[in-house]
Amino acid sequence: MAAKYFSYWVLPVFSALVWIGTLLGLLLHWLVDTSREHYPSMSDGTKVAYVSDAGAYELKPLFITGCTVTVVFLDLSFFADRWLRHRGRLVPNSSRGEKVLSWLTILFAVLGAAGLILLSVFDTNNYPKIHDGFLLLFMGGYVLSAIFICWEYQRLGAKNRNHRVLRVGFWIKLAFIMIEVALSVVFIGTMFTGNYDVSAVFEWVIAFVFSFYVFSFVIDLYPAIYTKQGAQFPQRGLNADLEEGRDMEEEGGSHEQVLVDHRFAGPLVAPRNNSQRTLADDEDPAPRIGHGMQSRHLRNGSGVNKTEPPLTNF
């Protein structure tokens, strides 16, 4: 039974857990094992170590491994999202623009991943300038990736309003963008103004907030568990409703079908068949005869008039 729910959503879960574990390992090592050691890469007079300081010495192998595993599984989540939409197991991209946004999301995620891996290899102690450049690549890459996937989800959600998971994913990623940009501005501003302790604290906060962004992809990928047997993700857009209305009309349905346009939230009334016509629909001005009896004349396809038997009033 557990295997039924084991799907692509485990990719972001594993990525986020590895990232949190790496950060906690570095932080606790600096706080407990070294008793807040002042590393050689730290500026004089500072008391708070940056993430990069903690990962540049004894725990550098942990830092490199944790960064690599985190971004590899995170980027696999991006590829899984693209693949599942292409296969119809998630709400598919219905336009070229949405597909372009999806690939831009993956492109900048790969650049961000390269930035994180390289900054862990080129540590801040031996390669300070190169390290800072890769740090900006990491942050900028994933922020731009989040912007593009947020844009993609906004377009998907506008066309598929009945799939609320798209709106949830959109708002979570939008919140991440706003929070991370605000924190990054403070982080960079305090670093360039010489407030290194404040800057270091904000770097740790930014790093932990990033894990929540990774977790958000669980919401996006989880619906794929319902399509594991090859069935496509159900869609209830306008076209599907119109098709259903036409099918019922062909079967001679006797009730009025009310269709809902999910894009504009406007009711559409399906045309009624001949069996649903009322006396008021006839354009024949023939007078009523007797007690509710009426003679109606219809014109068939060949242009010959036929007289329909009189209808009895109810």
Side-chain angles (χ1 to χ4, degrees):
M1 180 63 69
K4 177 181 178 182
Y5 299 100
F6 190 81
S7 186
Y8 293 91
W9 61 267
V10 301
L11 295 173
V13 169
F14 185 71
S15 174
L17 291 178
V18 170
W19 181 241
I20 293 174
T22 301
L23 293 177
L24 288 176
L26 296 175
L27 182 60
L28 293 176
H29 172 74
W30 177 68
L31 290 174
V32 179
D33 294 342
T34 68
S35 300
R36 301 188 179 188
E37 177 184 353
H38 187 279
Y39 292 117
S41 56
M42 297 170 61
S43 301
D44 295 337
T46 57
K47 298 179 180 179
V48 182
Y50 285 89
V51 177
S52 301
D53 294 323
Y57 299 96
E58 300 92 344
L59 296 186
K60 184 174 180 178
L62 171 65
F63 191 39
I64 295 175
T65 304
C67 290
T68 302
V69 173
T70 296
V71 294
V72 166
F73 278 86
L74 175 57
D75 285 9
L76 286 176
S77 302
F78 285 101
F79 280 105
D81 182 87
R82 174 85 280 276
W83 171 251
L84 292 170
R85 297 194 189 283
H86 173 71
R87 298 287 293 177
R89 292 186 57 186
L90 294 177
V91 179
N93 299 118
S94 58
S95 68
R96 182 177 299 178
E98 292 170 4
K99 294 178 182 178
V100 169
L101 291 173
S102 178
W103 283 112
L104 286 174
T105 297
I106 294 174
L107 171 63
F108 283 100
V110 171
L111 292 176
L116 184 59
I117 294 173
L118 291 172
L119 74 84
S120 66
V121 174
F122 295 93
D123 60 78
T124 188
N125 183 45
N126 297 308
Y127 313 94
K129 292 185 178 179
I130 298 177
H131 176 87
D132 291 342
F134 287 133
L135 175 62
L136 293 176
L137 178 62
F138 161 60
M139 296 173 61
Y142 275 110
V143 168
L144 288 174
S145 177
I147 290 174
F148 285 119
I149 198 171
C150 193
W151 191 355
E152 177 195 357
Y153 281 14
Q154 186 274 331
R155 291 170 62 103
L156 281 171
K159 297 177 182 177
N160 302 273
R161 295 185 181 276
N162 49 317
H163 296 301
R164 291 191 293 178
V165 67
L166 294 170
R167 294 198 298 274
V168 174
F170 166 78
W171 285 112
I172 290 177
K173 290 166 181 58
L174 181 62
F176 166 78
I177 293 170
M178 298 175 65
I179 293 173
E180 286 288 74
V181 169
L183 293 174
S184 297
V185 169
V186 177
F187 163 67
I188 296 174
T190 52
M191 182 171 60
F192 278 100
T193 56
N195 297 313
Y196 298 116
D197 286 340
V198 177
S199 178
V201 171
F202 272 92
E203 187 186 43
W204 285 101
V205 174
I206 291 171
F208 278 107
V209 169
F210 181 69
S211 63
F212 291 100
Y213 173 67
V214 179
F215 271 126
S216 73
F217 286 93
V218 176
I219 300 173
D220 305 326
L221 299 175
Y222 189 79
I225 67 172
Y226 300 110
T227 55
K228 290 185 67 173
Q229 303 303 321
Q232 290 192 338
F233 199 74
Q235 298 187 68
R236 295 293 302 166
L238 173 62
N239 294 335
D241 287 335
L242 290 177
E243 288 294 336
E244 180 181 342
R246 280 195 289 268
D247 292 342
M248 293 196 64
E249 183 178 353
E250 291 174 359
E251 295 173 1
S254 60
H255 67 281
E256 188 177 76
Q257 178 87 10
V258 178
L259 307 179
V260 178
D261 183 343
H262 293 289
R263 293 176 298 176
F264 304 101
L268 301 175
V269 180
R272 292 170 293 180
N273 56 26
N274 289 336
S275 65
Q276 295 173 296
R277 298 179 62 179
T278 63
L279 295 178
D281 293 330
D282 265 338
E283 298 178 358
D284 191 350
R288 298 177 62 85
I289 302 174
H291 294 81
M293 307 294 292
Q294 182 179 23
S295 176
R296 305 196 313 169
H297 301 282
L298 302 175
R299 184 174 298 276
N300 62 14
S302 62
V304 179
N305 289 333
K306 293 196 310 182
T307 302
E308 186 182 62
L311 303 176
T312 303
N313 195 17
F314 291 55

